[in-house]
Amino acid sequence: MNRHPSPGRLRAWHLVAGAVLLAVLAAGSLLVGAGDLTPAGLLGGRPGDVRLLMESRLPRLLAVLLAGTATSVAGLVMMHITGNRFVSPSTTGTGESAAFGVLLATLFAGGEAVLVKMAMAVGCALLGTFFFVWILRRLTFRDMILVPLVGIMFGGVIGAATTFFAYRADLLQSLGAWTAGDFSGVLRGRYELLWVAGAVTALGYLYADRFTVAGMGRGFAVNLGVRYDRVVNTGLVLAAVITAVVVVTVGQIPFVSLVVPNLVTLALGDNLRHALPATALAGALLVLLCDVAGRLVRFPYEIPVSTVVGVVGSVLFLALLLRGGRRMGLR
């Protein structure tokens, strides 16, 4: 992975400004929705407003923040350990593998608890991710853009198989819910699994320095005494677990794990410990902004966040390719 020649430096006020912006947007998002919720009603302790806040609006906000933070950090980790800026859970078949795991859990363990679905999704995500890495290590070409193309094809094959089996089992409608990120169904008691993704994200920060060294290549990492294979496998497990938990809870959210880490590292450099807080903050901001926009565009109806993120993310990705292609190692 190419190093940036003169990356910017993250200062404390950058994070403070981002946190303030996130707090303002989060507070505003609590008031957006089909149900009437006003600050006066909350301050006055109106039972209906308090119940709406605690049962729907606050759980939704927490789900958005956790999903955005975890997904962007998963992309950052995978980008570093593979040494390729276009490798992320959305371009390696990880999300499609997790959806296939949910389908298997629905077919063979439909009456079990949601933890069973999460376990099967995590298992399939791990298998799919490690299989892609196995393929990646046997490729002879070095063009960085071809690697994610292989991952997209690999994910397409898994997605096609998932669609086929879902069609045969009359589960296409359920499959659409798993593959399209949407926070409209989030209520208290239906998002708490995302705290697992939050915990795994925090664990990734503890390994930040090792992921940074591993991203410089096997030889460099081994010379510094880092167990390269163990660190890479740990990063893949973190990314797979985060992706599976998000898919099980709210569905797939495209582009976040690809665009956000690239934007942050272009500005701050490739030191994971420095870039990770800003990546987490930027991911939460992007998903929250798109979620609020999806609720306002056709108010009181709602556009799934995956649709809004897909539009915004594709524009950002094209801008990265057109303006930052040279710095990202493209010709």
Side-chain angles (χ1 to χ4, degrees):
M1 184 164 57
N2 295 333
R3 308 291 126 186
H4 298 149
S6 57
R9 189 173 181 182
L10 180 66
R11 302 185 185 279
W13 72 267
H14 292 146
L15 288 177
V16 172
V20 170
L21 177 61
L22 180 64
V24 172
L25 187 60
S29 73
L30 293 175
L31 305 177
V32 177
D36 291 331
L37 183 65
T38 62
L42 292 174
L43 294 176
R46 189 180 305 161
D49 287 23
V50 174
R51 184 164 54 251
L52 178 60
L53 175 69
M54 300 305 295
E55 295 290 336
S56 177
R57 300 290 174 80
L58 187 58
R60 178 173 184 148
L61 173 62
L62 292 175
V64 169
L65 298 180
L66 288 169
T69 297
T71 302
S72 58
V73 170
L76 179 67
V77 170
M78 186 169 282
M79 183 181 77
H80 271 73
I81 61 178
T82 60
N84 191 303
R85 296 195 173 279
F86 295 101
V87 171
S88 73
S90 61
T91 60
T92 58
T94 304
E96 290 83 358
S97 299
F100 184 71
V102 178
L103 175 64
L104 292 179
T106 303
L107 290 174
F108 301 108
E112 302 296 331
V114 69
L115 287 176
V116 175
K117 288 186 177 181
M118 186 189 78
M120 294 194 71
V122 169
C124 288
L126 286 172
L127 288 175
T129 303
F130 278 101
F131 185 70
F132 172 76
V133 172
W134 179 83
I135 296 174
L136 181 61
R137 289 173 177 172
R138 282 155 179 79
L139 295 177
T140 57
F141 51 78
R142 296 300 179 185
D143 191 339
M144 64 183 301
I145 197 64
L146 294 179
V147 175
L149 289 179
V150 173
I152 291 172
M153 289 187 290
F154 174 63
V157 172
I158 298 176
T162 303
T163 302
F164 172 77
F165 289 116
Y167 171 76
R168 295 296 299 269
D170 197 21
L171 289 173
L172 281 179
Q173 187 173 2
S174 298
L175 178 64
W178 305 328
T179 55
D182 186 12
F183 294 97
S184 62
V186 172
L187 298 170
R188 188 170 67 173
R190 297 184 59 182
Y191 83 98
E192 282 77 5
L193 279 178
L194 286 173
W195 288 109
V196 175
V200 174
T201 301
L203 183 62
Y205 188 76
L206 300 178
Y207 278 81
D209 292 334
R210 299 175 197 178
F211 291 148
T212 300
V213 174
M216 297 179 181
R218 178 187 291 273
F220 188 88
V222 171
N223 287 335
L224 290 181
V226 174
R227 296 183 176 180
Y228 179 81
D229 289 331
R230 177 179 295 183
V231 172
V232 169
N233 291 338
T234 299
L236 293 176
V237 169
L238 294 181
V241 170
I242 288 173
T243 303
V245 171
V246 172
V247 169
V248 168
T249 310
V250 297
Q252 294 187 57
I253 305 176
F255 282 109
V256 175
S257 62
L258 179 63
V259 170
V260 173
N262 274 294
L263 287 173
V264 173
T265 53
L266 279 175
L268 301 180
D270 291 319
N271 188 313
L272 197 67
R273 188 169 294 277
H274 293 162
L276 195 146
T279 301
L281 185 61
L285 270 171
L286 176 62
V287 177
L288 181 58
L289 182 63
C290 291
D291 180 61
V292 173
R295 283 184 273 175
L296 292 176
V297 169
R298 295 188 61 201
F299 186 85
Y301 303 103
E302 191 171 318
I303 298 175
V305 70
S306 60
T307 302
V308 183
V309 174
V311 173
V312 176
S314 61
V315 172
L316 292 175
F317 185 61
L318 286 175
L320 279 171
L321 291 178
L322 294 175
R323 295 188 177 184
R326 188 178 299 273
R327 295 179 64 188
M328 294 170 72
L330 299 177
R331 295 290 184 268

